[in-house]
Amino acid sequence: MANQSKTSSSSSDRLNHYFSLLSSTASWKGTLEELFLISRDDFIFDNLVIYQTDSETGLLEVLFAKSTGRGKSAEADASWGESLANRIIQENRMICEEPDEKGHRDRLAQPYLLGLPINTEDKLPGVLVFIRFGGPTFSEDDCRFAQWTANLTTSIVRKKMLDEFMSKIEDIQSVTKLQADFISTISHELRSPLGFIKGYTTTLLRTDTNWDRETQKDFLEIIERETNNLTDLIEDLLDSSRLQSGQMKFDFHLVRIDSLIRDEVNRTHLTNPEQKIELDFETEIPVIEGDPRKLAQVFDNLLSNARKYAPEAMLQIRLRKEKKHLIIEFNDDGQGIPEVYQSRIFTRFFRVPEQSMKAHGTGLGLFICKQIIENHEGSIHVSSSQDGTSFKISLPYALVTKKITAEESV
Ligand code: ATP
Ligand code: MG
């Protein structure tokens, strides 16, 4: 009696174990591994393979294969069940196949196969095939058990398909959100300069007022500035789509990064003399191979970001040489970027919501920077806290040992 209750409790444990697989959060592969690990206590097999109809080709493809003991190498070559699997798909029933010649000394030459349909309700049916080398024949109990395993396999494979379907939906949702963000950002960014241009042009064209030359010049300067903003916006859009599709052309030269940054800083000072910038450059900075215009675009965006999002702050630009890389840091002591957003700022159109009202922008700048730096086989990372933000760029330098003169570098 005691023995019986022990047996029934252990078989209910096993049953629980089987059912728990259906709600397992492990990967579908991990869940299948576990299923076939426990099922080997109830049902002996050497290898198994699961085939699933491929949605594109309509042919059976190996989804999962497992080898135990004998014929372990058969895992790599799971084609042994293919012809049986195709028969099962056609006839949609369980089929057992036994070797023509029995009693062979080489057990591997005597495969006993048992195949069952899985996922039959779906447009992409599959097959589960077990193999025993050298027998014994699959009994009725074995077949019943294999059917139970096939049903569980169906549920696990369906969960996999559902997960894949859900991740496709998430991808579509994120593309749709990107498109919505794009339209809202672009329409906002277009409307604002167009509003200025239209407003000042209409004002200048009024026939009832005579504007003095000084005022006319001020208005025309605003129109010019806003037209430049529109041109920049269109350039950024074109750049981002060229970079996204790998169509951007790079024109590599030997570049002196220290001079390039100094030039950008000088240019910035002409238009924004109030921006506080400190340079901390190591001497003897080696040249790198790079596209000077594209790299200038990176520095320009980092300078303009510091101006827009850390307006009162001091921006320190550091340049140093490591073994194989130049390290360029843009450190400001502004308000920083909240941690939740830090991983997203390099994606297209992303702008920190709390900051997007403070300054104009499309959220393309850092995306473009990252793509440009990666096209130079470098990297760019951000670290930020309430005390400030730091962008760190690493660029490999050319294996150029000769001293670079001003004429041959940019
Ligand atoms: P664009 O560069 O296309 O004109 P943008 O400046 O808004 O627009 P990015 O340069 O990609 O776009 O920057 C993305 C976001 O990262 C910014 O909107 C801002 O929220 C945040 N950010 C970037 N630099 C800083 C910084 N130095 N301090 C605080 N936040 C920053
Ligand atoms: Mg920017």
Side-chain angles (χ1 to χ4, degrees):
M1 192 65 198
N3 218 352
Q4 201 179 3
S5 93
K6 192 175 165 208
T7 316
S8 70
S9 106
S10 70
S11 62
S12 78
D13 281 353
R14 299 179 55 66
L15 212 56
N16 272 339
H17 197 163
Y18 276 116
F19 277 114
S20 70
L21 293 176
L22 296 178
S23 51
S24 164
T25 51
S27 71
W28 63 273
K29 269 197 180 151
T31 314
L32 283 176
E33 286 281 351
E34 175 110 21
L35 168 66
F36 295 114
L37 190 75
I38 15 176
S39 61
R40 267 179 59 83
D41 286 347
D42 294 301
F43 168 67
I44 297 300
F45 60 88
D46 287 309
N47 297 348
L48 73 89
V49 57
I50 299 173
Y51 298 93
Q52 171 81 43
T53 312
D54 183 83
S55 59
E56 279 169 19
T57 60
L59 299 172
L60 285 179
E61 298 285 343
V62 175
L63 180 74
F64 180 88
K66 179 147 190 67
S67 301
T68 63
R70 284 170 287 179
K72 227 173 178 341
S73 63
E75 189 161 351
D77 170 24
S79 57
W80 49 264
E82 228 169 74
S83 73
L84 178 65
N86 281 311
R87 252 184 83 199
I88 290 167
I89 287 282
Q90 275 167 13
E91 299 177 26
N92 193 21
R93 67 181 179 90
M94 178 192 301
I95 299 178
C96 289
E97 264 183 14
E98 298 202 355
D100 299 334
E101 260 184 72
K102 292 182 188 165
H104 205 286
R105 282 174 88 195
D106 179 7
R107 299 177 71 119
L108 291 179
Q110 294 177 76
Y112 286 70
L113 297 174
L114 169 61
L116 309 97
I118 59 164
N119 214 12
T120 45
E121 305 292 301
D122 201 274
K123 283 191 211 130
L124 301 174
V127 176
L128 167 62
V129 188
F130 294 100
I131 190 165
R132 278 176 179 171
F133 293 108
T137 304
F138 287 97
S139 68
E140 271 189 26
D141 268 359
D142 287 339
C143 292
R144 259 196 298 279
F145 192 80
Q147 185 57 60
W148 153 254
T149 319
N151 294 345
L152 287 173
T153 304
T154 295
S155 303
I156 296 165
V157 170
R158 286 214 163 168
K159 186 166 168 287
K160 166 191 177 278
M161 291 163 86
L162 190 68
D163 286 351
E164 285 173 355
F165 184 64
M166 290 306 289
S167 100
K168 269 192 194 146
I169 290 188
E170 277 165 20
D171 286 351
I172 294 170
Q173 276 176 333
S174 82
V175 170
T176 315
K177 171 143 185 0
L178 203 66
Q179 280 172 350
D181 287 354
F182 169 76
I183 291 169
S184 104
T185 310
I186 293 305
S187 34
H188 179 261
E189 291 300 311
L190 282 175
R191 199 174 292 138
S192 146
L194 278 177
F196 276 109
I197 294 168
K198 169 89 179 116
Y200 283 100
T201 315
T202 311
T203 312
L204 280 172
L205 288 173
R206 275 172 62 171
T207 48
D208 56 346
T209 319
N210 272 329
W211 302 107
D212 60 51
R213 279 190 71 80
E214 195 58 26
T215 314
Q216 282 183 18
K217 186 168 171 278
D218 287 349
F219 288 179
L220 284 169
E221 274 172 4
I222 294 172
I223 293 174
E224 189 191 28
R225 189 192 68 206
E226 296 302 323
T227 314
N228 287 342
N229 283 345
L230 278 179
T231 314
D232 288 350
L233 170 65
I234 290 162
E235 282 301 321
D236 275 0
L237 280 172
L238 288 173
D239 278 356
S240 96
S241 95
R242 285 189 203 115
L243 284 161
Q244 180 94 351
S245 62
Q247 308 276 303
M248 172 75 90
K249 294 217 168 13
F250 283 81
D251 193 6
F252 283 86
H253 297 278
L254 293 179
V255 183
R256 285 188 54 166
I257 284 287
D258 44 352
S259 313
L260 196 65
I261 299 176
R262 277 203 179 90
D263 287 350
E264 279 314 300
V265 170
N266 289 339
R267 219 191 312 274
T268 297
H269 269 145
L270 289 178
T271 44
N272 302 279
E274 75 294 342
Q275 187 167 9
K276 290 179 267 174
I277 305 172
E278 183 187 286
L279 302 184
D280 177 4
F281 289 4
E282 252 179 20
T283 51
E284 307 258 327
I285 293 295
V287 289
I288 68 151
E289 236 182 311
D291 182 326
R293 291 183 61 179
K294 304 281 187 310
L295 290 170
Q297 203 176 337
V298 172
F299 304 137
D300 193 42
N301 182 53
L302 295 175
L303 284 162
S304 92
N305 280 0
R307 210 159 50 238
K308 291 193 287 185
Y309 308 113
E312 303 297 318
M314 164 65 82
L315 174 67
Q316 186 202 42
I317 307 175
R318 299 185 66 195
L319 175 61
R320 65 175 200 278
K321 178 180 80 184
E322 281 187 355
K323 223 174 177 184
K324 290 186 173 165
H325 291 82
L326 290 188
I327 306 295
I328 308 149
E329 282 173 60
F330 279 63
N331 305 321
D332 68 57
D333 53 2
Q335 287 183 348
I337 304 169
E339 205 180 328
V340 276
Y341 301 127
Q342 287 175 23
S343 60
R344 299 173 64 192
I345 57 169
F346 293 101
T347 46
R348 288 213 288 177
F349 304 118
F350 182 79
R351 307 190 71 211
V352 174
E354 297 88 36
Q355 287 171 346
S356 59
M357 303 307 285
K358 288 190 200 157
H360 284 297
T362 53
L364 284 173
L366 286 174
F367 168 80
I368 294 174
C369 289
K370 189 167 172 10
Q371 301 292 318
I372 292 177
I373 295 296
E374 286 176 357
N375 271 283
H376 285 77
E377 289 170 26
S379 63
I380 176 165
H381 296 285
V382 67
S383 57
S384 188
S385 71
Q386 285 175 341
D387 300 327
T389 300
S390 171
F391 286 96
K392 183 172 166 186
I393 296 172
S394 162
L395 283 172
Y397 49 81
L399 298 169
V400 185
T401 45
K402 61 181 173 174
K403 280 252 181 273
I404 300 298
T405 61
E407 296 81 59
E408 58 191 353
S409 60
V410 184

